Amino acid sequence: MNPFDLSPSLHAALDRPVWSSLNGGHRHLALGGPLAQRYPRDIGPFAALASEDPPAWMALAELLLPGEAAMLVTPGPAAAPADAGLVSTPLEPVLQMAATRELPASSLPFAVLGEADVEAMRVLAGLTNPGPFAARTHQLGEFIGIREGGELAAMTGERMRPDGAIEVSAVCVHPAYRGKAYARHLLAERTRRIAAGGRLPFLHVYPSNRGAIALYESLGYVVRNQLHLTRVMRAG
C-alpha cells in the first residue's frame, strides 16, 4: 500500500476528506445539499463546501445556527466572503499521513466497543482530548479498546470515510495506563483491519506533535499532504 501509487481520484478525495466522506461512506449522515454539507451536531463539527464560490459559503451559513462554528479541512486556505454572514479563522494546519505497509495483528487482547461502552469512551476522550468527540461520534466507524480492571484504558477508532479510504482517529490512552504501548498496539490493529477491508488507512496530526508523528512513522505511515484547518462561525 503505497499512497503515492494511488489513483488520481483517490488523491483528490483525500485532499478534501470531509466532502469526500459526506459524499462517500458517510453519505447517510450528510446534512445539506449540493453546495455545502455537514455532519449532524451530535456527531461532530466538520463541514465542507463543494467549491469556494460565494453561493457555497452562503449554503454553509444556512446549515449553522447563529453563533455556531464548524470546522473545514481543505487543500488550500479557506476564507469566507464578507457577505456570507460567516467569520472564518485559520487554525494550525494538519499533516495527512497514509499507511504504506501491512501490519501484523495485535498481540494484546482488545475488544470491539459498542453502545454499552459509549460513556466510558466519552470519559476517556475527555481526559485525553483526541479531537472533537460528541454524543454520537462513535457511530462514525468501528472502535476498539483495551480494558484494565474493568476500566477502558485505551481506544482508537475511525472517522472520515472517503470511498477507498478510512481515517484512523481518536487514539487515546488513559493517563494512568501510559507507557504500556497501548496506542501502538491499537493503532497497528486499526490499520490492519482497515487495510484488510481493501481500504487505505490514513490519519491527521498536527505538525507540532512530534511524538505522535514518530509513532505513526514507525508503523509505516508517511506524510501525503498538508491540509488547512479553518474554523467557520455564523455571525450572530
Side-chain angles (χ1 to χ4, degrees):
M1 295 183 299
N2 189 326
F4 303 106
D5 294 334
L6 301 180
S7 68
S9 62
L10 186 50
H11 273 296
L14 290 170
D15 281 342
R16 303 173 70 211
V18 182
W19 180 262
S20 302
S21 185
L22 289 169
N23 287 272
H26 285 156
R27 59 175 60 87
H28 63 289
L29 297 173
L31 303 177
L35 297 180
Q37 296 181 8
R38 62 166 295 169
Y39 280 94
R41 292 177 181 85
D42 58 354
I43 284 185
F46 292 99
L49 305 166
S51 72
E52 291 201 39
D53 295 332
W57 287 101
M58 294 177 183
L60 176 60
E62 291 297 317
L63 296 176
L64 302 176
L65 298 173
E68 183 182 13
M71 304 296 289
L72 307 181
V73 184
T74 55
D83 59 352
L86 296 168
V87 177
S88 52
T89 304
L91 304 176
E92 182 181 1
V94 292
L95 299 177
Q96 186 182 89
M97 303 182 73
T100 59
R101 67 172 186 255
E102 302 287 345
L103 295 173
S106 174
S107 59
L108 292 179
F110 66 90
V112 176
L113 304 177
E115 291 295 328
D117 303 296
V118 170
E119 184 56 32
M121 294 165 72
R122 293 185 67 185
V123 169
L124 182 56
L127 285 171
T128 56
N129 192 28
F133 202 94
R136 290 202 295 139
T137 297
H138 64 283
Q139 295 180 6
L140 291 174
E142 184 182 72
F143 280 73
I144 56 176
I146 294 174
R147 294 188 180 91
E148 274 206 26
E151 185 173 36
L152 186 60
M155 71 174 182
T156 191
E158 300 171 348
R159 191 165 60 182
M160 303 302 168
R161 298 177 73 94
D163 289 339
I166 296 179
E167 180 190 11
V168 179
S169 185
V171 181
C172 307
V173 179
H174 192 290
Y177 300 105
R178 289 175 181 163
K180 299 187 176 186
Y182 285 169
R184 168 178 290 277
H185 282 277
L186 289 180
L187 179 62
E189 178 63 23
R190 180 78 274 145
T191 299
R192 186 192 69 80
R193 292 165 79 91
I194 292 171
R199 295 176 175 86
L200 176 74
F202 72 103
L203 52 80
H204 295 102
V205 61
Y206 289 112
S208 57
N209 194 348
R210 297 305 308 171
I213 292 172
L215 170 62
Y216 304 150
E217 289 176 338
S218 73
L219 293 171
Y221 280 82
V222 298
V223 174
R224 194 198 71 85
N225 203 355
Q226 178 171 284
L227 302 179
H228 291 257
L229 189 63
T230 306
R231 182 176 183 268
V232 179
M233 185 173 70
R234 181 174 172 180

